Amino acid sequence: MTVAPSALHIRSDFDSGNIQVLDASNPMHVRLAIKPDTQSAHFQWFHFHVEGLQVGQTHRFELSNASQSSYNKAWDGYQAVASYDQENWFRVPTQFDGSALTFSLKAEQPQVWFAYFEPYSRARHDDLIKNAVQWSGCEVLAVGKSAEGRDIPLLRKGNGASRKHKLWIIAQQHPGEHMAEWFMQGILERLEQGSDPQLRKLLDYADLYLIPNMNPDGAFHGHLRTNANGQDLNRAWQNTDPETSPEVFFALEQMHKYGVDLFLDIHGDEEIPYVFTAGCEGNPGYSERLATLEERFRSHLSQQTRDFQTTHGYPRDAAGQANMTLACNSVGQRFDCLSLTLEMPFKDHNDAPDAVTGWSGKRSMQLGKDVLSTLSSMVRELR
Ligand code: GEM
Ligand code: ZN
């Protein structure tokens, strides 16, 4: 007697959840759609939970509106991630036919989570901040508020002595780029380690100013790109409006209060399957000094890890043509300092691919640790 497959229960009403069920009448082939950010047409991030899977059977999930997403070259070569326990995530067979993205799973358990990338939850963020204070020797220097009133902690590692350089690292302005806060966890985990000569040298000359999540509202709502007001925070760094972009207003206020000698803005990229940086070559104040510092950072990090390269990335800005509303360009110009956007892939880093996980939270964390070695190697050259 064949048993009719039972109906699936699909939900996304949780932290960073995003899916719309179009038709789940056939549990072996479900039709879904990604919902746009609440006040913006941007969409790409998805994250949902499925119960009722038939163990041993292959279930297919179709994202029917994939071709209208924000970055439509994002799906070529992309594989969705899945997890049975929200801890161990793996890539699943995925196809894009130019219209819909379809991924499949031969179920090993009756329930599973799917996402665009390994999510970094608000609960994990709260633990990260607690551990940063308890184990990494950080202080919560200030706490900003998002548009919906969520905390935005600014951490400092170091005593704030005026002689020390101020190195700023912010992450996840774009809320769907969850790899960014995984990167910050790597930074903070390395700060826990006592006997680390590279770290000792870095902290002798510099303090670290860290904002692990710039956009908690967008992350919670399962947004790709914007805050709760529909604002792309990485277009809000000139004439910043505290009403529409309180998150950026807070960060800039603190930067002017403490000063900035280096700035890293941590992001994820939907299309380019490599880790890379973008700099300030299009800034009006760009100089040989800053060009040399950018080159120094990139060449050291390239030697530090195979999970970074300088061949692939965004087109360079023409002289004087940078978009000064971006964090990297705006901060680099205001403080005449080394300032970079660092991008990690939603796909994989094709110079060192991992067939099981692709790019992952763990690799993002390791990259954070490697970046601290690069900062240590050049801290005395920053000014
Ligand atoms: C990018 S940053 C784009 C930088 N481009 C150049 N040419 N320097 C953005 O905000 O669009 C970061 C991101 O989206 O991840
Ligand atoms: Zn981004």
Side-chain angles (χ1 to χ4, degrees), residues 174 177 225 267-268 343:
H174 293 139
E177 298 165 11
R225 190 100 182 154
H267 286 256
E343 296 281 351

Side-chain angles (χ1 to χ4, degrees), residues 255-271:
M255 288 176 178
H256 282 294
K257 180 173 181 181
Y258 294 101
V260 184
D261 297 307
L262 172 138
F263 176 65
L264 297 181
D265 182 21
I266 311 301
H267 286 256
D269 185 84
E270 293 80 0
E271 298 179 330

Side-chain angles (χ1 to χ4, degrees), residues 12 20 32 91 105 148 164 229 240 259 276 309 311 366:
S12 62
Q20 180 191 356
L32 306 162
R91 299 280 172 168
L105 176 75
E148 290 181 334
K164 295 176 85 176
N229 296 327
T240 306
F276 61 94
Q309 56 75 55
T311 305
Q366 183 55 51

Side-chain angles (χ1 to χ4, degrees), residues 104-269:
S104 58
L105 176 75
K106 185 173 182 181
E108 294 175 8
Q109 295 188 30
Q111 57 84 43
V112 72
W113 282 265
F114 289 111
Y116 183 33
F117 187 82
E118 184 175 356
Y120 201 96
S121 70
R122 189 68 182 169
R124 192 184 293 273
H125 167 86
D126 292 341
D127 287 346
L128 181 69
I129 302 304
K130 269 205 290 287
N131 293 339
V133 172
Q134 191 172 359
W135 303 110
S136 303
C138 293
E139 64 176 303
V140 179
L141 195 61
V143 179
K145 287 290 182 189
S146 69
E148 290 181 334
R150 291 182 174 87
D151 285 356
I152 301 174
L154 163 62
L155 301 171
R156 180 169 69 189
K157 172 74 176 180
N159 60 12
S162 56
R163 67 170 180 78
K164 295 176 85 176
H165 290 326
K166 288 85 180 165
L167 315 188
W168 284 76
I169 308 177
I170 73 171
Q172 214 163 339
Q173 287 197 82
H174 293 139
E177 298 165 11
H178 286 249
M179 56 286 279
E181 191 156 17
W182 283 111
F183 176 98
M184 297 303 275
Q185 182 171 324
I187 296 265
L188 288 161
E189 278 189 359
R190 185 165 179 190
L191 296 180
E192 290 176 17
Q193 290 148 20
S195 59
D196 179 336
Q198 287 180 327
L199 203 57
R200 180 52 37 227
K201 174 190 168 194
L202 175 64
L203 298 174
D204 281 349
Y205 289 96
D207 287 346
L208 299 178
Y209 291 74
L210 309 171
I211 302 182
N213 189 324
M214 277 287 294
N215 194 338
D217 297 349
F220 181 79
H221 292 302
H223 288 181
L224 172 72
R225 190 100 182 154
T226 61
N227 72 353
N229 296 327
Q231 174 68 45
D232 177 342
L233 296 186
N234 205 30
R235 298 298 184 274
W237 289 74
Q238 292 284 308
N239 312 312
T240 306
D241 179 348
E243 291 303 311
T244 56
S245 310
E247 301 88 355
V248 171
F249 192 85
F250 164 70
L252 265 175
E253 192 182 51
Q254 298 299 315
M255 288 176 178
H256 282 294
K257 180 173 181 181
Y258 294 101
V260 184
D261 297 307
L262 172 138
F263 176 65
L264 297 181
D265 182 21
I266 311 301
H267 286 256
D269 185 84

